Amino acid sequence: MQLEAHRSLADLTTFGLPSAAEHFVCCESVEVVKEALAWRRRSGCPLHVLGGGSNVLFTGDLPGLVLRLGIEGIEEVRRDAEAVYVRVGAGVAWHDFVQVSLDRGWNGLENLSLIPGSTGAGPMQNIGAYGVELEERFDLLEAIDIASGELHTFSHADCQFGYRESVFKRALKGQFVITHVTFRLPLVPDLRLEYGAIREELDCEGVDVPDARAVSEAVIRIRRSKLPDPAVIGNAGSFFKNPVLDDAAFGSLVKSHPDVPNYPAPSGVKVAAGWLIDRAGWKGHDRGTHGVHDRQALVLVHRGGAKGADLVKLAEDIQSDVFAKFGVALEREVNVLPKG
Ligand code: EPU
């Protein structure tokens, strides 16, 4: 295990904000993860686990140990009549895995193309896009208990998936390090074309009978047209979750704003946060070093030279303005660290 002291984290997150880890280790195997956790137990310092860095905002230096997952590998473990089971290292970049799955003729991940971040971070917040969530393709995951260093297997039910949610963000928050995820990918295409602009995009390209690759390419074009590329401009995708309102709250919102985009959700009605922020006048809002993306109001951007606290202040200003104008409380999707 190679420990580094005062390692800058700016290049390890998609926001690119200044921050450094007191101690840092990149773990390329389960054994090194175990070794790093044992070291941290002995030293008693705080621990932060970093995946692809695409859903975090650092407001300062991180005390203690930052453990980055660097476990690689994409391996077919078995197959049955309907599906192939593929075990993937937590450190594999999510989009690289999606591309490999398409190359090998595996289906089911095409709508999730170009989502930034690592495969191990995917189940944490049950990543989703264009009508598909990771949980639909999930078989099981392996994770190490931070307290004991023991390896555990989690089934789909164990993970308690929800909209951008799992048990790892709730009851088991901060207790496990995910090392491998096994997916169940259908051998026969199971295309989802109903959501958003996918069908429109395929029509535009003259694709009559799409396959998984064509859908992936359409999703990539749609995402590129709306979302900033983190390699060019710092961002963490959707900064806020789409709020889920109960019937009474939705009823009063839709009365004053009948055109608010909304979708049924298990516990109420989901409304588009991007629409609320846009209508409140924040789209393209510019504070020099940072601001709100001009094509998608749900995305905050770091143009260079900002501090994490500047982005947090902007987010708070948006939250209070949206609350004042619509009576809707927006919840952050991005994790802010260290906690103040
Ligand atoms: N809208 C506006 N103005 C905006 C942004 C959106 O009016 O500036 C409207 C759109 O016109 C549309 C509605 O709001 O009617 C919903 O917008 P969109 O289709 O762009 O999707 P979203 O709900 O904003 C969600 C996910 C994205 C995911 C897309 C596509 C969340 C918080 N975000 O965005 O996920 O890519 O759907 O499935 O659920 C991410 O999590 O980082 C992310 C990018």
Side-chain angles (χ1 to χ4, degrees):
M1 159 174 105
Q2 264 200 323
L3 271 182
E4 291 174 61
H6 303 291
R7 163 71 152 90
S8 166
L9 300 172
D11 60 333
L12 298 179
T13 70
T14 57
F15 252 130
L17 289 159
S19 176
E22 188 181 1
H23 306 285
F24 176 86
V25 61
C26 182
C27 300
E28 276 150 21
S29 68
V30 170
E31 288 64 40
V32 177
V33 176
K34 287 184 172 174
E35 206 184 319
L37 291 177
W39 179 89
R40 180 260 171 182
R41 269 196 301 279
R42 286 195 302 275
S43 77
C45 68
L47 170 75
H48 178 70
V49 181
L50 191 60
S54 61
N55 209 38
V56 285
L57 189 162
F58 291 143
T59 52
D61 292 348
L62 296 190
L65 177 66
V66 172
L67 185 160
R68 182 168 200 252
L69 268 308
I71 301 175
E72 294 291 329
I74 299 173
E75 179 199 358
E76 176 177 335
V77 284
R78 67 188 169 98
R79 62 170 69 201
D80 56 28
E82 283 131 36
V84 54
Y85 294 76
V86 184
R87 181 172 180 260
V88 187
V92 174
W94 173 261
H95 184 64
D96 292 351
F97 170 45
V98 174
Q99 291 304 300
V100 168
S101 77
L102 291 167
D103 291 346
R104 300 205 190 156
W106 304 331
N107 298 285
L109 301 177
E110 52 281 352
N111 293 43
L112 304 178
S113 298
L114 214 62
I115 295 183
S118 61
T119 301
M124 282 271 179
Q125 58 156 347
N126 185 21
I127 53 171
Y130 302 101
V132 175
E133 288 184 337
L134 173 142
E135 63 148 316
E136 294 171 66
R137 311 302 182 200
F138 177 91
D139 182 42
L140 56 86
L141 66 78
E142 294 149 73
I144 300 178
D145 183 339
I146 289 172
S148 69
E150 276 168 24
L151 194 62
H152 289 244
T153 299
F154 289 80
S155 68
H156 188 286
D158 294 335
C159 293
Q160 298 175 25
F161 290 118
Y163 165 61
R164 296 293 196 275
E165 282 296 348
S166 76
V167 73
F168 302 104
K169 282 179 78 176
R170 299 273 172 199
L172 298 182
K173 192 177 165 83
Q175 294 184 36
F176 283 88
V177 178
I178 297 172
T179 59
H180 289 90
V181 187
T182 301
F183 295 87
R184 182 185 184 279
L185 303 178
L187 291 167
V188 174
D190 171 25
L191 302 182
R192 306 282 176 81
L193 311 175
E194 309 75 31
Y195 192 97
I198 293 186
R199 212 178 273 279
E200 215 175 282
E201 184 64 35
L202 290 166
D203 287 347
C204 221
E205 291 292 310
V207 181
D208 294 335
V209 189
D211 58 7
R213 171 83 64 185
V215 174
S216 167
E217 283 167 5
V219 167
I220 289 172
R221 279 194 299 273
I222 298 167
R223 286 187 75 98
R224 288 213 167 115
S225 72
K226 292 206 309 191
L227 297 168
D229 178 356
V232 180
I233 178 160
N235 75 92
S238 298
F239 197 90
F240 301 100
K241 289 186 186 184
N242 287 327
V244 177
L245 307 183
D246 63 26
D247 290 343
F250 177 68
S252 75
L253 177 67
V254 83
K255 213 164 146 203
S256 48
H257 299 92
D259 49 345
V260 61
N262 61 88
Y263 325 89
S267 53
V269 184
K270 197 194 277 184
V271 298
W275 186 93
L276 298 172
I277 299 167
D278 187 349
R279 286 300 167 98
W282 289 92
K283 194 173 190 165
H285 176 82
D286 185 8
R287 292 189 178 176
T289 55
H290 60 293
V292 180
H293 189 50
D294 55 6
R295 274 172 285 154
Q296 168 56 286
L298 205 43
V299 178
L300 303 192
V301 294
H302 171 217
R303 300 200 175 84
K307 296 222 164 63
D310 302 328
L311 271 298
V312 171
K313 173 75 172 67
L314 171 59
E316 287 169 355
D317 291 347
I318 292 171
Q319 283 167 311
S320 41
D321 191 45
V322 165
F323 190 76
K325 289 181 171 140
F326 300 101
V328 176
L330 294 181
E331 199 187 317
R332 284 196 303 244
E333 190 194 291
V334 169
N335 298 311
V336 175
L337 288 166
K339 299 259 183 271

